[in-house]
Amino acid sequence: MVLVFSYIVKTIQILLAIMVQAWFMDSSDVDQRKLHQTDPPQFVSVEELLATTGVESFKITIDADLSDPFLAKIRKERNYSYEDEITCCPEKLPNYEQKIKSFYEEHLHTDEEIRLVLDGSGYFDVRDSQDRWIRVAVGKGDLLVLPAGIYHRFTLDEKNFIQAKRYFVGEPVWTPINRPADDETSRKAYLEKLQQGFVKV
């Protein structure tokens, strides 16, 4: 019996290690860096996250050369030809408090947003098909792909540190388009895909 229980616990730990965690957010306007879970928490599975938002998540092994063959496969299949790296923390980011507040403005992009967390942690908040906020916690090794046209925002957590790779198809487009942006072509295309159903690539 003890062995069976130990096996179950170990399996749960492994599953948690390979999946991002996501949950519906509460309506509190206190510090954006806190958990903001409902009471009781309402967790969202990775399958539900994909079905209701189109957001995909993958687990990547982080080493000095980023040599994980799965990362190379994803980059090739999705034509991620451009990359850069960003570190967000009070010591590295000028006007840190202002910057993280600007990241927290609800917006969309006309292209996919792809982030691979090299170190640290943070939250991506995304709107689901019923316009509810879902908070996605990311940490080292998490590769998150937000589809073009989705309303979202980003914040660090209370550790105030994240280092991430940013990938793009071709030249990067940096300009966020704040909500409301329902007339944007990318937004209309996103809503059509959401209605048809997203499938993990």
Side-chain angles (χ1 to χ4, degrees), residues 142-154:
D142 288 327
L143 175 66
L144 205 67
V145 182
L146 276 62
I150 187 173
Y151 284 131
H152 66 283
R153 61 192 182 190
F154 171 77

Side-chain angles (χ1 to χ4, degrees), residues 6 16 28 30-31 60 71 73 79 85 93-94 148 167 193:
S6 298
L16 288 175
S28 169
V30 299
D31 189 345
I60 304 297
L71 176 61
K73 178 176 180 286
N79 298 311
E85 192 172 308
L93 196 63
Y167 296 104
K193 286 182 182 177

